Amino acid sequence: MRFWHKIFLLVIVVFLISFDVTAFMIINKSYNLVKQNDIERTLNETRIILKSVEDRISKVEKYYTELNTDNMQMYISPYGEYYKNQGVYLMIRKDDEILYSNFKEELPNIEKSSIEFNTINDTPYMFISIPFSDQSLTFTYIKDETILSDYRNEMSMYTFIISIIVSVCLSAIVIIMIIKLTKPIEDLNKTAKHISKGNYTERAEIKSKDEIGEFAQSFNTMTESIELHIKELSELTENKQRFIDDLSHELRTPIASIMGYSEFIKNANCTDTQKSKAIDYIYSESNRIQKLSEKLMILTSLKNDDLQIQEIDLHSLVNTVLQTLHSKISEKEIEAVTDLNVASVESDTVLLESLIQNILENAVKYSPHSGKIVIKSYAKDDLLFVTISDNGTGINKNELQKIKEPFYKTDKSRSTKSGGVGLGLSICEKICEKLGINMKINSKINEGTEIVLEFTTV
Amino acid sequence: MIDILIIEDEIAIAELLHMNLQLVGYNPHICEDGLKAESYLELNSPDLILLDIMLPEKDGYELLKTILPKEIPVIFLTAKGSVEEKVVGLKSGADDYITKPFAMVEVIARIDAVLKRYKKHSNKFVIDDIEVRFDEHKVFLNSNEINLTAKEFELLDILIKNKNIALSRDKLLELVWGYDYMGETRTVDVHIQKLRKKLSLEKRIVTVYKIGYRLESDI
């Protein structure tokens, strides 16, 4: 059953019951009042008639020793005839014997002093019996009460018709109102269905400030948060997909070279110079794949490893890294300067070392011959900063936005020659995320690059 | 000599193509990025271009727009292997699409097919006293026409197209007789023998141990 069916039925049933019960009670009350009134009036009338009848009889009694039906008929019939025209019948009894009666119907048993209502042949009558003042006779006044009972019936019928008309009107009003009231719910339902089909940008229209309006409001809030989550999710999968695409591209190129050169050596009628060239390429390209897999391993292990936070001596850490890169640094005759004002930091040794090594590797890579690399640490506003700057080639603004993307290389041919796979900064980014470090890159073309590590809470 | 321009930023791949194409008798030239290729194309007009899509400075699609008016056939050469990419590549006006990693035989075959379509391939090949006229399907030894069967001629054609590169018996079977040919690799040996005898190419058609056959000529 639809919601509006329920409301509709409920309203109509409640209306009919309350209206009819009220109407019935009012009719009953009014009927009783009218009846009471009627009884009193009739009683008075009866007394008056009785008085005059008694007078007449008392006058007549002087002539007749005995009262019987015949003489009663004679005395009373003028009254009887007179009242009969007004729907009133008279009867005089002596004990149970009827001395006079102009009532044609069969009489029920009537008490000597009573007010009774009886229905004879579908006609309601009121019987008022009063004994004569000397108790010798009983006078009964019989009144046709059809008008009174008709009044009640007519009132009931009228009420019934009114209630039907009103309920029809009411139904129409109720239906229109329900439709108006449930329209926003219907709309919400439609919107919800749209959304469930994946149309996450759809919103419910808020038309009122009542509960339904509030509901629409919270519905919209919910949809917004769903949309946001879906967006985040799809962005995440998109990023992953792009990573995989890029990775497969990065793998295809060296594999294509390796396959091609080995095929060349195998099949071609080539000179020794060509052959050794091919072998060199095979070697360097496999080296590239090996480097790539190494970096990938670091990236994946970053996702799993738990942190081991401890007090780290920056001096020894930087020295270790410089030692590792010693051959490359001395090859280019680069001057590495350390200026560590803050000597210790709380972090994870392995990750921090890997981070600084990656950054330094890049610095060395892009530094000119006999360049200068400066590693600084200092405290500012209760925060620890480590900066690594070089006077190398620098990165232009457009590329600055892209360099953190996996596999992005600023100078492809050069980085390929030096063995870069384009994952260094991605790794740095991931490590920073894990260690709670803000990494900023400031760079100017031909002036150098500065990487600022801001250690927030660990 | 047919000039082929290789536009490829991966030096290893570019060199590989260069070496192979030189071997089979083309005249290749390498450009490492889009801008270099553009300036090269202003002065030169190669017969065919092998074009990588992902290039620094100017990518393959952009470059293709400037190449198309010159009516130089273009074969895309890329690591992007998805069907959508291929469709985009071909729709943009390239003549063919090769994905990395590739087999050299395939690249050579495709280059040959595209050149044929543009009628740019050489219709004559001369080695020692032999002259092969591809258009006429005729072979001359010391100016005397030699009768070759259709299969023999096709085999010779394939060997010439891939000269200085060894082809396996299976590859030859596939290229000359087709994928669905159920014959044995012995068929190849028999036909090679006949070719050698008819054209006295004993020294030129070399048996490469454990691999197959190679037509050797001077580069």
Side-chain angles (χ1 to χ4, degrees):
Chain A
M1 203 191 250
R2 307 280 298 176
F3 180 63
W4 76 269
H5 290 157
K6 288 182 194 169
I7 293 187
F8 174 69
L9 277 182
L10 202 70
V11 169
I12 294 302
V13 167
V14 167
F15 163 74
L16 281 178
I17 290 173
S18 54
F19 182 83
D20 285 356
V21 166
T22 315
F24 172 77
M25 282 164 74
I26 290 169
I27 290 168
N28 232 24
K29 183 67 186 172
S30 132
Y31 170 75
N32 283 339
L33 283 175
V34 172
K35 192 174 164 185
Q36 203 59 44
N37 217 331
D38 189 48
I39 289 170
E40 260 161 43
R41 227 169 356 99
T42 316
L43 206 58
N44 279 338
E45 206 177 323
T46 312
R47 286 205 184 100
I48 291 162
I49 299 168
L50 176 61
K51 187 73 186 152
S52 50
V53 168
E54 248 180 316
D55 278 359
R56 194 171 178 92
I57 288 174
S58 64
K59 275 177 196 162
V60 173
E61 264 187 323
K62 292 169 187 169
Y63 308 102
Y64 300 98
T65 47
E66 196 189 336
L67 289 171
N68 59 27
T69 33
D70 290 335
N71 48 37
M72 275 312 229
Q73 188 76 32
M74 223 166 67
Y75 302 137
I76 307 304
S77 59
Y79 291 100
E81 290 311 307
Y82 172 74
Y83 282 110
K84 196 176 176 179
N85 293 332
Q86 297 172 24
V88 173
Y89 306 94
L90 303 177
M91 185 171 74
I92 295 170
R93 288 175 296 169
K94 189 182 186 183
D95 297 331
D96 282 338
E97 183 196 352
I98 295 169
L99 294 179
Y100 172 81
S101 172
N102 58 359
F103 190 62
K104 298 292 178 291
E105 312 291 339
E106 196 185 320
L107 274 173
N109 196 21
I110 300 160
E111 293 294 311
K112 273 184 184 167
S113 173
S114 66
I115 299 165
E116 280 178 39
F117 289 88
N118 279 302
T119 303
I120 299 158
N121 288 341
D122 293 333
T123 314
Y125 293 102
M126 176 162 68
F127 294 84
I128 298 179
S129 305
I130 305 170
F132 278 42
S133 42
D134 61 353
Q135 301 294 324
S136 58
L137 299 168
T138 307
F139 179 79
T140 304
Y141 181 101
I142 305 163
K143 193 181 171 200
D144 188 337
E145 291 283 73
T146 313
I147 292 169
L148 197 61
S149 79
D150 276 358
Y151 165 77
R152 184 157 71 167
N153 290 342
E154 212 167 287
M155 285 300 277
S156 303
M157 186 53 88
Y158 186 65
T159 310
F160 178 69
I161 290 166
I162 292 274
S163 78
I164 284 177
I165 292 168
V166 172
S167 38
V168 168
C169 296
L170 189 67
S171 302
I173 292 167
V174 165
I175 287 172
I176 289 168
M177 270 170 61
I178 290 171
I179 287 173
K180 272 216 131 167
L181 285 174
T182 54
K183 181 89 191 342
I185 298 178
E186 200 104 324
D187 289 348
L188 260 179
N189 191 19
K190 268 186 204 157
T191 315
K193 277 179 184 163
H194 269 268
I195 290 167
S196 68
K197 279 177 190 156
N199 215 345
Y200 297 105
T201 46
E202 187 129 345
R203 292 286 176 277
E205 205 179 316
I206 299 165
K207 288 172 188 157
S208 54
K209 281 183 178 170
D210 56 5
E211 288 90 333
I212 293 171
E214 273 171 32
F215 177 46
Q217 182 68 55
S218 31
F219 180 83
N220 280 350
T221 314
M222 182 192 77
T223 319
E224 243 156 61
S225 89
I226 288 176
E227 194 192 350
L228 205 72
H229 276 109
I230 295 277
K231 228 185 202 168
E232 273 171 18
L233 269 181
S234 58
E235 254 167 40
L236 201 70
T237 30
E238 222 170 77
N239 280 344
K240 279 195 174 162
Q241 189 55 47
R242 201 170 48 218
F243 184 83
I244 291 169
D245 288 347
D246 290 345
L247 177 62
S248 74
H249 177 260
E250 286 304 308
L251 280 171
R252 260 170 211 251
T253 313
I255 287 173
S257 306
I258 292 168
M259 279 174 64
Y261 282 112
S262 33
E263 194 194 4
F264 181 77
I265 292 170
K266 199 172 110 180
N267 295 345
N269 176 22
C270 57
T271 60
D272 283 350
T273 340
Q274 282 175 321
K275 202 173 268 182
S276 81
K277 203 175 176 185
I279 291 171
D280 281 348
Y281 273 122
I282 291 177
Y283 180 77
S284 65
E285 293 297 287
S286 8
N287 207 20
R288 192 167 149 194
I289 295 179
Q290 197 258 339
K291 280 236 169 80
L292 182 62
S293 77
E294 240 171 46
K295 298 274 177 184
L296 279 176
M297 286 289 279
I298 296 174
L299 261 187
T300 41
S301 68
L302 273 180
K303 281 172 192 161
N304 311 324
D305 279 356
D306 289 327
L307 293 176
Q308 286 181 322
I309 304 297
Q310 60 190 79
E311 194 85 17
I312 299 169
D313 181 23
L314 275 178
H315 277 289
S316 64
L317 185 122
V318 170
N319 283 335
T320 317
V321 176
L322 287 175
Q323 204 58 46
T324 319
L325 300 174
H326 180 72
S327 62
K328 285 179 189 166
I329 292 175
S330 55
E331 190 185 305
K332 274 188 159 180
E333 290 177 14
I334 289 167
E335 185 192 355
V337 182
T338 54
D339 174 17
L340 304 173
N341 282 328
V342 179
S344 77
V345 61
E346 285 209 347
S347 195
D348 182 292
T349 319
V350 181
L351 289 184
L352 192 61
E353 198 182 308
S354 166
L355 174 65
I356 294 194
Q357 182 173 339
N358 266 298
I359 295 171
L360 273 176
E361 257 176 32
N362 271 338
V364 171
K365 204 181 286 173
Y366 294 105
S367 280
H369 195 81
S370 61
K372 189 177 174 185
I373 295 174
V374 183
I375 305 154
K376 274 192 214 167
S377 77
Y378 55 93
K380 195 175 139 193
D381 304 334
D382 287 342
L383 290 168
L384 172 65
F385 290 87
V386 172
T387 63
I388 295 161
S389 48
D390 62 56
N391 57 352
T393 46
I395 310 159
N396 76 35
K397 257 186 187 166
N398 293 337
E399 290 190 316
L400 212 48
Q401 293 170 346
K402 297 190 215 158
I403 49 171
K404 284 181 187 173
E405 285 172 21
F407 303 114
Y408 188 83
K409 297 163 199 158
T410 50
D411 185 349
K412 209 171 169 187
S413 53
R414 190 170 164 174
S415 67
T416 311
K417 269 180 213 153
S418 53
V421 291
L423 282 178
L425 273 177
S426 290
I427 291 173
C428 291
E429 182 98 309
K430 279 265 150 56
I431 294 175
C432 287
E433 210 174 90
K434 254 198 131 160
L435 295 180
I437 297 170
N438 280 335
M439 180 169 71
K440 266 185 220 148
I441 304 172
N442 305 316
S443 189
K444 265 190 183 161
I445 282 286
N446 294 330
E447 280 182 28
T449 306
E450 180 193 41
I451 303 225
V452 183
L453 302 176
E454 178 193 334
F455 287 72
T456 58
T457 47
V458 176
Chain B
M1 212 56 137
I2 285 172
D3 296 320
I4 293 180
L5 176 62
I6 302 163
I7 309 174
E8 166 68 82
D9 59 326
E10 292 284 343
I11 306 302
I13 301 271
E15 284 271 357
L16 174 70
L17 288 164
H18 190 274
M19 278 157 109
N20 275 291
L21 293 179
Q22 212 165 31
L23 219 53
V24 296
Y26 293 119
N27 181 28
H29 180 88
I30 297 175
C31 285
E32 283 147 39
D33 64 52
L35 290 180
K36 278 182 194 162
E38 249 181 356
S39 51
Y40 177 84
L41 282 169
E42 271 170 29
L43 302 172
N44 303 279
S45 171
D47 296 294
L48 185 132
I49 296 172
L50 290 177
L51 180 57
D52 187 16
I53 290 176
M54 283 166 54
L55 284 170
E57 308 302 339
K58 212 163 189 193
D59 75 11
Y61 294 125
E62 258 181 88
L63 211 52
L64 185 64
K65 281 179 205 155
T66 62
I67 296 170
L68 282 175
K70 298 181 198 286
E71 293 191 357
I72 300 170
V74 173
I75 298 179
F76 268 136
L77 195 66
T78 171
K80 289 184 173 180
S82 71
V83 179
E84 290 83 11
E85 288 289 344
K86 281 187 192 178
V87 171
V88 171
L90 291 174
K91 269 194 175 169
S92 62
D95 292 89
D96 211 339
Y97 197 102
I98 302 173
T99 49
K100 297 174 196 171
F102 46 75
M104 222 40 233
V105 188
E106 190 192 352
V107 177
I108 290 165
R110 282 174 193 252
I111 288 174
D112 184 55
V114 171
L115 285 176
K116 221 178 242 172
R117 218 182 302 149
Y118 280 80
K119 304 207 188 306
K120 278 185 175 177
H121 68 297
S122 51
N123 45 21
K124 212 164 89 176
F125 174 75
V126 182
I127 187 167
D128 299 339
D129 305 324
I130 302 159
E131 185 189 336
V132 184
R133 292 181 192 163
F134 295 109
D135 293 345
E136 298 166 45
H137 263 247
K138 279 177 183 162
V139 182
F140 298 89
L141 177 63
N142 294 323
S143 303
N144 299 320
E145 192 181 342
I146 308 289
N147 273 327
L148 290 186
T149 64
K151 288 291 170 211
E152 280 164 1
F153 189 84
E154 260 181 78
L155 185 61
L156 182 66
D157 187 17
I158 298 281
L159 286 172
I160 291 168
K161 295 273 157 59
N162 292 282
K163 61 180 172 284
N164 291 318
I165 292 174
L167 295 164
S168 69
R169 291 180 176 80
D170 286 315
K171 199 76 207 173
L172 285 170
L173 204 59
E174 182 194 313
L175 290 171
V176 179
W177 282 268
Y179 286 104
D180 45 355
Y181 184 70
M182 298 299 283
E184 286 179 53
T185 47
R186 279 286 305 157
T187 321
V188 178
D189 296 333
V190 171
H191 279 78
I192 291 282
Q193 293 311 323
K194 281 186 185 160
L195 266 185
R196 276 177 177 158
K197 218 177 220 172
K198 282 185 180 174
L199 302 171
S200 41
L201 280 170
E202 282 87 356
K203 281 194 182 144
R204 288 294 186 182
I205 300 180
V206 179
T207 308
V208 184
Y209 179 62
K210 275 195 175 170
I211 296 173
Y213 298 101
R214 178 166 68 204
L215 177 76
E216 293 189 346
S217 83
D218 313 315
I219 302 158

